Amino acid sequence: MFKIALKSVRHNPKRLILTAIAVALGVSLVAASHTLTNALSAGFSNLFSDIYAATDVIVEEDPEGSESEGGDPFAATQGVFVPEDVDAIAAVEGVDVAIGGIQAPGAVLPPATDDSAGDPFSGGGPPSQLFNWSGIPEIDQSTLVDGRGPESDGELALDLDSAPRLGYDIGDTVRIATEDGVTEFELVGTVRFGETNSLQGATLGFMTDADAQQLADDPNYQQVSVLVTDGSDADAVVDRVSEVLPDGTRAITGEDKAAEETESLDEVLGYIDVFAIAFALISLFVGAYIIVNTFRIIVTQRTREFGLMRAIGVTGRQVRTMILLEALVVAVLASTIGIVVGYLLALAAAGMVSLFAGDIFGPMTLPLEAVGWAYLLGTLVTLVSALLPAITASRISPMEALRESATGGKKPLKVRNIVGAALALVGVITITTGLYAGLERPYIYVGAGAVMLVLGTTLLAAQVLVPMAYGLRHLLTRTFGVDGKLAANNIRREPRRSANTAAALMIGVMLLALVATFTESLKTVFTEQFAQSEADLFAFSTQGAIPNGAVDVLAEVDGVEAVSSLGIDSALIDGESRTVASTDPETAEMAFAYDTEPELAELSGGAFVDSVLQDLGYEVGDDITVEGPEGSLTLEVTGLYLTEGDANLWVDEAAAADLFGEPTIVQSSIMLEDGVDVDEAQTAMVDVLAEDYPLTMVEQPGALVQFANQIIDLMLGIISALLASALVIAILGVANTLLLSVTERTREIGLLRAVGLKRSSVWRMVTVESMVMAVFGTILGMILGVSLGSALVLALEDFGFDGVTIPWMWLVIYTVLAAIAGVLAAIWPAWRASRLDILKAIATDG
């Protein structure tokens, strides 16, 4: 049977080409994603090796149970080693050198010019990594290239790529922005990190211990780098060093540390692969409709062939196996093509990213994981899709060899309709329950109901498409003449095939409409939130927190009535890390209408809890104990914070000072006095911040809304691009169905031509048929997408969504594009139909 299957594929490749393309497109997303993440992992693995592997032993804070766990691996941490700890480590047997390490916070700015002055983004982009200079290449992981290393306070060395990129030469004054202002250094040398200075786009700088400690505002060291004596075993030194370490710290070999960081990064990249696999499954799910249609038509066309095979002794099981083997061959070939296409897409994407972010990728190799997933998904979807047609083929009796080939789709739709109606009904009930039954996490019920509703609608599509096509027959006849009437009849007589074709397009459009509805509603949320604010200006930092000094500077600008700052920090509540927001209740109410009970002005001296803490049993009147880095507080719960997704606990600035010292300010709202010109006030603030706090940005609400909308549009564009493969597959499905239908109706088309139907009429008939299916699928997809998107938005009401915004413009665009896609999908089938030889077509068997 395998030989027969191979011969069938080899002798009739045209009928399976579009099916193979559909599978290949879905598979290519998986291959591209895994290739990119593998290269990114390799790039950062090399970086971590350069950072850690040259150092024999790393002594650091133990990440187990640390608040920094899972944080930014490149961010500066709190110093935990006093100089005496470094001396104790250096005295351990087997230790040759022990150097305390300090990573200083800050961003290296370009030279101060008329163009860059006051530009809050001048220090944006990849992070700056600033360390104390030891002069030992194995410790610094860097070697001098030009000039010298920092020897005195106020001196700095930069990596050899960043210095010219930022516009600095040796001898120039370099500006570094920190939370306390801008500090100036003299550039005395350039260094090369590792062998190739591969910093993944970051800026590397070195300074003296004293300068690093001053910028970090910490006299202690964050880690200790150890080189062992010749012949000493690093693992043994780790054990001995561990005996002299303070609690909460650990020693680890450089190689183990590099492997640990790479593993943590791979966990994050794994989510990207899952994301890509999800979109690949969407594409392959749409492709499944094409596969089902293709094999169903193939089985119909080969009815007599299978009847003859059954007549000579071939069993139904062997026929079924042969069909599945054909599907397997197509799946393997298509998956192989998809892997190659995905690898090429990854190369192209890496090239585009490198133009903007630098060389952040390692070698672009195709991982075995990508190959495995590609073949697994491609093969599984193809075989499952071909199973029902294969079962149908296995039931063909030997008597079919004595009959003329029949057309498919004649089996009653009763079972399909019952199952579809049941799924759709359960889906609607589940969605309604989630929205109106007052259950927790209603979006889960909406999501589950949406899946059932889509599946049910897919099965019921024939019940809508066929009557619609029949109802449009008169309109199509008046518009296109007999060609339109024939097109409507063709759709009506093959309801399964037509419905499956339209359903594939329906799913692609539905997802686009759902995402568009959600993102458009999200835009409305941002717009209304800013509209609820009484602030004239907002301040925030392009890197990290807003310095407290910057808030003081803003408050002193002429015309400022009040500045309300919002701090976000983490603290322990009942042993769990929770987010804590801090603000001045009086000015906060002036700046924004918070959804609280009672008003936020009642916060002073107490705490407001969100739904997460309410679910843990905290109510108004209870005491809640909060453990922060600077101390512990027990506060009375005096109110409820009713918006989900924000901070878990809200306290006033006095409580925040006791818990955190200086809270991490993420945003400041600025209210101006009556009559003050907003543009002039903004200019004045930018000017006073430029000198000491250039990373603090001041913007008007309208500009922030526009920026937020741009981010949302970018998100919509990325998702739409990923969904584009599903739409392309759906359009290929329309073309594939029409192409196989033309082959199936060869004699019919020949007879129509013989009685006078022109080639142009044949072309028009196929095109109208394609357009009707495409427009129907699009309209049904838009109805479902907008409905489900609206349900999702309503289910997220507790997260700030308070209404649905329908993307009318996008719906019009989708409809127009659907009609165009229908015309394009019909080109090849229509051309083939119009070019059939009349006599050969009439003589065709069946």
Side-chain angles (χ1 to χ4, degrees), residues 142 285 413 584 683 743 784 840:
S142 301
F285 180 68
L413 298 173
D584 179 356
T683 302
T743 303
L784 271 177
K840 290 182 178 179

Side-chain angles (χ1 to χ4, degrees), residues 379-511:
T379 302
L380 184 63
V381 170
T382 306
L383 289 178
V384 171
S385 303
L387 183 59
L388 284 177
I391 293 173
T392 301
S394 69
R395 293 174 179 173
I396 294 175
S397 70
M399 294 301 296
E400 295 292 341
L402 304 177
R403 302 173 184 169
E404 291 193 6
S405 294
T407 58
K410 302 302 182 183
K411 186 178 179 180
L413 298 173
K414 183 177 179 180
V415 175
R416 179 185 178 120
N417 293 337
I418 292 174
V419 175
L423 283 173
L425 180 61
V426 172
V428 170
I429 292 174
T430 305
I431 293 173
T432 304
T433 301
L435 292 178
Y436 302 109
L439 301 174
E440 294 184 3
R441 298 180 181 179
Y443 43 87
I444 295 178
Y445 297 90
V446 170
V451 172
M452 289 184 283
L453 178 59
V454 170
L455 292 175
T457 304
T458 300
L459 295 175
L460 289 173
Q463 293 301 106
V464 182
L465 176 59
V466 174
M468 189 196 75
Y470 186 74
L472 289 174
R473 185 176 58 171
H474 297 295
L475 175 62
L476 295 175
T477 301
R478 286 198 303 267
T479 306
F480 301 103
V482 69
D483 310 332
K485 184 177 182 180
L486 289 172
N489 288 338
N490 289 334
I491 292 175
R492 184 188 178 198
R493 68 180 179 177
E494 295 294 347
R496 274 191 177 84
R497 182 187 308 167
S498 302
N500 284 351
T501 304
L505 189 59
M506 176 199 76
I507 292 173
V509 174
M510 178 208 68
L511 292 170

